[in-house]
Amino acid sequence: LAGAVKDPAVGVRMAVVDALGFTRSREATPALVKGLEDENPSIRQSAAVALLYVADPASAGPLERLTKDANDGVRFAATKTLGQLRDRSTSGTLRGLLKDKFPEVRAEAAMALGNLGDPSAAPDLAAALGDAHERTRQEAARALGNLGDKSAVSELSKLLKDPNRKVALTAAGALGRLGEKSGAQVAMESLKMGSLEEKVLAAEALGDIGDKAAVPDLRRAAGPTSPAPVQQAAQAALTKLGQPTK
C-alpha cells in the first residue's frame, strides 16, 4: 500500500494517503511524508491531515517545511497537525505563522501555541490580539489564558469591548484564568441574551472567572428550558464554583 503513494494516477495516490491515515499507525509515516512532497496540492494537504491521525513526532520537521507551501489549504493542514503534535521545538515556526497571509492559518497557529504551553510565545500571541481576523483574536486570547501569563492582562482587557461578542467572551474567560474578574459583566449579559454559542462561551467564562455572583444566572441557564449545550456548560461552571448543579 505504501508504495502506491508514488502511483502516476492522482486518484490512486489520494486514496492511498487517506487509507494510510486511517491506519493510525506510525509505520505509515515515511509514506505520508513522501505524500507531503507530491506535486498535487490536494494530496499534500491530505497527507498533512493523515499525519494528524498518525500523530508521529517524527513528522514534525517535514510538516514545518510544509508550512512554507504556496497553497493556503496545505499550510492550514500542516499548521493544524503541528498543533496536535504539541512539540515545543516547533514553537518558533508556529510563532512565525501568526503573520501568515491566510487568516485561518494564523488562527490555527494561535491555537497550537496555546496547546504547546510555551511561555516564550506570549509576546507574539499578545500582538495577535490585534489581528483583523476575529478567530485569530479569539484563539490568541484563549491561548494567553492557558499560558497563565499575567503580563497579557492589559491587552486582554481591551478585548472585552471587541465588536465580536465571541472574542470578548473568550477574553473574559482568559482573564478569569489569570485571576481577573473584569469580564464577569460581559459574560453575565451574554448568558441571558446571547446566541447559543455565546451563551455557552459565557457560561464557560463564568466558570473560569469564579465569581459567585453569577450562580443564580448559571442555575437558570442549567435548567431544563435551556438548550442542552448551554445546560452542560452552565452545569460545568457551577461545578467549578463548588455549587450544586440543581
Side-chain angles (χ1 to χ4, degrees):
L1 182 63
V5 79
K6 297 180 181 178
D7 193 278
V10 171
V12 172
R13 298 202 305 277
M14 181 70 78
V16 168
V17 163
D18 289 343
L20 288 171
F22 287 134
T23 68
R24 298 178 183 267
S25 169
R26 292 185 179 182
E27 292 181 4
T29 299
L32 288 171
V33 167
K34 286 288 184 187
L36 299 179
E37 301 169 356
D38 197 280
E39 63 183 17
N40 187 301
S42 294
I43 293 177
R44 296 198 300 275
Q45 183 173 353
S46 292
V49 172
L51 284 166
L52 185 151
Y53 294 106
V54 172
D56 187 349
S59 66
L63 286 164
E64 283 189 280
R65 290 192 288 275
L66 198 66
T67 62
K68 296 180 173 63
D69 197 279
N71 183 278
D72 293 344
V74 173
R75 294 198 313 283
F76 172 80
T79 305
K80 188 174 185 67
T81 300
L82 278 177
Q84 293 301 312
L85 291 178
R86 303 191 181 201
D87 181 345
R88 280 204 182 186
S89 71
T90 66
S91 179
T93 295
L94 291 168
R95 293 199 302 272
L97 289 168
L98 290 172
K99 297 180 180 178
D100 192 272
K101 66 177 183 177
F102 186 47
E104 289 299 331
V105 169
R106 300 198 300 272
E108 282 298 321
M111 180 187 291
L113 287 165
N115 290 339
L116 282 186
D118 180 6
S120 69
D124 299 284
L125 287 165
L129 295 177
D131 196 285
H133 184 233
E134 293 166 349
R135 184 170 167 251
T136 300
R137 296 198 302 277
Q138 185 177 13
E139 294 301 340
R142 182 177 286 117
L144 284 165
N146 292 342
L147 288 178
D149 186 343
K150 292 197 173 186
S151 68
V153 166
S154 177
E155 292 302 313
L156 282 169
S157 296
K158 296 175 184 177
L159 286 191
L160 295 176
K161 297 180 179 179
D162 195 278
N164 183 288
R165 187 51 67 100
K166 289 184 288 187
V167 175
L169 290 167
T170 302
L175 285 163
R177 294 195 295 283
L178 296 175
E180 297 288 326
K181 297 185 177 183
S182 52
Q185 183 178 351
V186 169
M188 284 193 279
E189 289 172 357
S190 294
L191 188 62
K192 295 174 183 176
M193 299 181 293
S195 66
L196 188 147
E197 187 177 357
E198 288 168 358
K199 287 180 178 179
V200 170
L201 286 170
E204 291 173 348
L206 289 168
D208 289 332
I209 292 166
D211 187 347
K212 291 190 176 181
V215 168
D217 290 332
L218 285 168
R219 284 217 176 102
R220 279 190 287 273
T225 59
S226 293
V230 178
Q231 287 184 42
Q232 292 164 6
Q235 288 167 3
L238 286 166
T239 299
K240 278 188 177 181
L241 291 170
Q243 300 293 314
T245 57
K246 295 182 180 179

